[in-house]
Amino acid sequence: MASGASVEQNMQKAAEYRAAVAQRGVKNLINGEWVDGAAEFTTSSPIDNSLICRVAEGDAADIDRAAQAAWEAFPAWAALKAKTRRDILYRFAELIEENAERISLLESLDTGQPIRFMSKAALRGAANFRFFADRVEGARDGLSLPADDHLNYTIRQPIGPVGVITPWNTPFMLSTWKIAPALAAGCTVVHKPAELSPVTAQILSELGLAAGLPPGVLNLVNGFGETAGKALTEHPHIKAIAFVGETVTGSLIMQQGAPTLKRVHFELGGKNPVIVFADADLDRALDAAIFMKYSLNGERCTSSSRLLVEEPIYDEFVEKLAARVEKIRVGHPLDPATEVGPLIDPGHLAKVQSYVDLAEEEGAVKAFGGGQPAGLESGNYIRPTFVTQATAEMRIAQEEIFGPYLIAIPFEGEEEALKIANGVKYGLTAYIWTRDVARALKMAHEVEAGMVWVNSQNVRHLPTPFGGVKSSGIGRDGGDYSFDFYMETKNISIALGDHPISRLGAS
Ligand code: NAD
């Protein structure tokens, strides 16, 4: 496995996988056939912006063919015996595990994410399939709701073909997080991956076919958001859209889907607070705050991008944090020692750097970071950035930056911490560090976030609900919450006897 391999071994294996991808390119999968798109675009590696391969560029006609295939495949897939569907999804998980090295190395090459994190991405993807495969047999379960004269009971049925639209940051894992429950529920899928990192989506579809998914059950159409993505959200055969990406895109998708009354599930941006009180275990809080911002290149929706520190410990805490940030190892993502790799593309690098410049313009203090590390100028590398003495209303404290960039804001007491924490448009996660249980509970209840961790970093448990409030999203994933999205609940009411029926026109 890539995680135990040296940088040389990773590079050699990655070069082999890359050569194979370069030769074939990334295709679309429609109705079980690998096909070219109407045109082509390319994907490049953030390591040096060199070409990885050509990618089929789907347009509205390709989306139409894929949606039609998903529509035709739906009745048989939905009617399949639960055990058969479960077995296919288990096989899918096994194949992901067997291909974990290829997936991890290509994901690192295509996204710039360090291999130390990506080596687990494929395994987490497989775990998602296993988790939902285990629940296939119960997915249709409903409630028994007896009334005086009727027995009511509910069942759940798959909603139909769904569209899955994913972002570029950790594409493989996020795609499985959406596609596994959709397939388990009995839906068919058209997947539109992000144009900036499309390589591993092709492997996912390839493994789905090999696992025995019938043609049309999982379709893949690559392309741009404004064309292929838009057409998917507008297609009348597509009953729901599961979307992960930026808040503004979510808003556009809602508009695009309105004429066909799409059900939508949105996992959007964040500006998540980590709130450290003076009574916390400060060493653990420090480790968690650093991990939650600088892992995955900071290109992580649940990252703790605002560090709120109680006044009495502020100076000491930020000083220790700055010393650690300075030592974070920036480098080639295939090097197992690398902690932060290159950002997805030059445009995103320029965006993150613009916030480094803005920090000083707004009057905050740059403790460390910004600019390109020496020797790494040919890729989209930036030095991890830590900004102190920020205030809540600054743009650097309000806007999602989505890079290895943390700001620190001092606060006095619970009320001020809550005011700052809740004073942004986002509400995805919050992290609270204190040894005072009553305070932890009060803060957890009052902070505006879909998910709260107390004395912890983001540790996922698949049955728990995942999602945000405010501009961070609509709906929840995880466990049964995912089935609620991909399925319709139907109520069936059966008369228990001769209850009264009004006899209109009878006299
Ligand atoms: P993005 O919104 O630019 O793109 C996401 C996807 O949407 C891409 O596949 C893109 O092609 C597509 N798209 C763009 N315009 C579209 C349109 N008009 N219609 C349909 N599809 C369209 O996001 P990104 O830059 O790829 O990803 C980064 C964002 O994702 C960040 O804001 C991050 O916070 C968010 N994110 C959120 C979560 C979460 O769980 N909340 C997880 C990961 C990433």
Side-chain angles (χ1 to χ4, degrees):
M1 253 310 294
S3 60
S6 66
V7 58
E8 292 77 20
Q9 286 167 325
N10 284 341
M11 295 238 196
Q12 193 194 334
K13 289 302 276 185
E16 287 166 25
Y17 294 130
R18 182 176 181 159
V21 173
Q23 195 183 14
R24 180 175 181 224
V26 170
K27 309 256 184 206
N28 292 335
L29 179 69
I30 299 178
N31 205 21
E33 304 280 335
W34 291 105
V35 290
D36 291 324
E40 268 183 4
F41 64 104
T42 57
T43 182
S44 306
S45 176
I47 298 166
D48 53 7
N49 294 305
S50 60
L51 174 82
I52 296 179
C53 66
R54 294 162 290 107
V55 185
E57 183 185 333
D59 62 6
D62 296 308
I63 288 286
D64 183 50
R65 279 190 282 279
Q68 189 65 36
W71 179 255
E72 285 165 15
F74 173 68
W77 179 247
L80 207 62
K81 291 240 177 297
K83 187 180 166 313
T84 313
R85 199 152 65 227
R86 186 195 65 188
D87 290 348
I88 294 174
L89 298 184
Y90 274 149
R91 181 72 193 125
F92 204 156
E94 278 165 16
L95 288 173
I96 292 173
E97 281 161 352
E98 286 167 22
N99 286 273
E101 180 188 74
R102 178 163 65 116
I103 294 165
S104 305
L105 291 171
L106 286 174
E107 188 90 319
S108 263
L109 275 181
D110 204 18
T111 61
Q113 295 285 5
I115 194 66
R116 66 161 59 215
F117 304 118
M118 287 307 97
S119 60
K120 296 179 198 89
L123 300 180
R124 279 194 60 191
N128 288 339
F129 271 96
R130 257 205 196 95
F131 175 84
F132 286 106
D134 278 336
R135 282 157 181 75
V136 166
E137 286 183 282
R140 281 175 295 194
D141 290 354
L143 295 172
S144 168
L145 301 163
D148 286 346
D149 301 321
H150 290 77
L151 171 64
N152 292 279
Y153 71 95
T154 66
I155 57 169
R156 286 193 300 199
Q157 296 174 318
I159 190 169
V162 299
V164 172
I165 303 179
T166 45
W168 48 257
N169 55 331
T170 51
F172 187 83
M173 203 288 293
L174 282 172
S175 303
T176 63
W177 180 233
K178 299 288 170 187
I179 292 171
L183 295 177
C187 297
T188 53
V189 174
V190 178
H191 180 201
K192 208 301 279 172
E195 50 272 44
L196 290 176
S197 57
V199 170
T200 54
Q202 167 158 276
I203 303 178
L204 186 67
S205 291
E206 172 197 313
L207 300 180
L209 267 191
L213 288 180
V217 170
L218 175 57
N219 303 276
L220 171 69
V221 180
N222 289 282
F224 295 96
E226 305 72 35
T227 49
K230 180 168 182 285
L232 183 57
T233 62
E234 291 172 342
H235 202 287
H237 284 346
I238 299 295
K239 297 299 158 200
I241 295 287
F243 169 74
V244 186
E246 281 191 25
T247 298
V248 286
T249 315
S251 173
L252 274 176
I253 288 176
M254 198 171 236
Q255 291 173 38
Q256 294 161 191
T260 49
L261 292 176
K262 288 281 182 298
R263 179 182 289 183
V264 292
H265 188 298
F266 289 162
E267 289 178 15
L268 309 174
K271 191 76 180 174
N272 310 303
V274 51
I275 306 169
V276 183
F277 286 95
D279 68 348
D281 181 332
L282 297 179
D283 290 338
R284 287 176 62 76
L286 189 75
D287 287 343
I290 295 169
F291 175 75
M292 280 312 302
K293 183 62 254 183
Y294 298 102
S295 58
L296 296 175
N297 293 349
E299 296 165 330
R300 175 181 194 151
C301 58
T302 53
S303 68
S304 54
S305 44
R306 291 181 296 151
L307 173 67
L308 278 48
V309 188
E310 205 169 14
E311 279 285 6
I313 55 158
Y314 179 85
D315 287 341
E316 193 186 336
F317 197 84
V318 299
E319 199 179 308
K320 281 189 182 160
L321 202 142
R324 287 272 293 274
V325 174
E326 221 175 316
K327 287 198 269 175
I328 288 177
R329 286 184 293 248
V330 183
H332 197 293
L334 295 181
D335 184 344
T338 290
E339 294 171 321
V340 168
L343 304 185
I344 186 74
D345 74 345
H348 191 51
L349 172 65
K351 175 186 159 181
V352 177
Q353 179 61 42
S354 77
Y355 281 95
V356 179
D357 305 335
L358 182 64
E360 291 180 59
E361 282 166 35
E362 287 192 305
V365 178
K366 188 176 81 175
F368 184 76
Q372 292 211 275
L376 292 171
E377 292 83 359
S378 58
N380 309 321
Y381 294 90
I382 190 165
R383 289 191 307 158
T385 304
F386 181 43
V387 171
T388 63
Q389 298 301 341
T391 56
E393 69 289 347
M394 289 178 179
R395 279 182 55 206
I396 56 168
Q398 291 286 326
E399 298 172 11
E400 186 184 45
I401 300 170
F402 215 56
Y405 185 120
L406 178 64
I407 58 156
I409 309 176
F411 71 86
E412 276 179 53
E414 293 167 19
E415 291 314 313
E416 191 181 13
L418 272 174
K419 190 165 169 242
I420 299 171
N422 292 342
V424 295
K425 68 175 184 173
Y426 297 107
L428 189 59
T429 65
Y431 305 87
I432 298 162
W433 286 86
T434 175
R435 286 192 170 102
D436 179 334
V437 176
R439 168 188 275 163
L441 291 175
K442 176 182 183 316
M443 296 293 294
H445 284 226
E446 293 188 20
V447 73
E448 292 167 358
M451 296 167 280
V452 180
W453 276 271
V454 176
N455 297 333
S456 179
Q457 76 282 33
N458 166 352
V459 178
R460 283 288 293 133
H461 179 49
L462 295 180
T464 58
F466 185 102
V469 301
K470 295 159 77 178
S471 292
S472 288
I474 296 176
R476 296 291 177 270
D477 267 324
D480 207 51
Y481 297 92
S482 297
F483 288 145
D484 262 347
F485 177 69
Y486 293 111
M487 302 182 91
E488 295 279 20
T489 296
K490 180 185 278 181
N491 188 64
I492 297 160
S493 190
I494 304 167
L496 293 172
D498 294 338
H499 66 281
I501 302 177
S502 293
R503 302 190 66 230
L504 303 185
S507 58

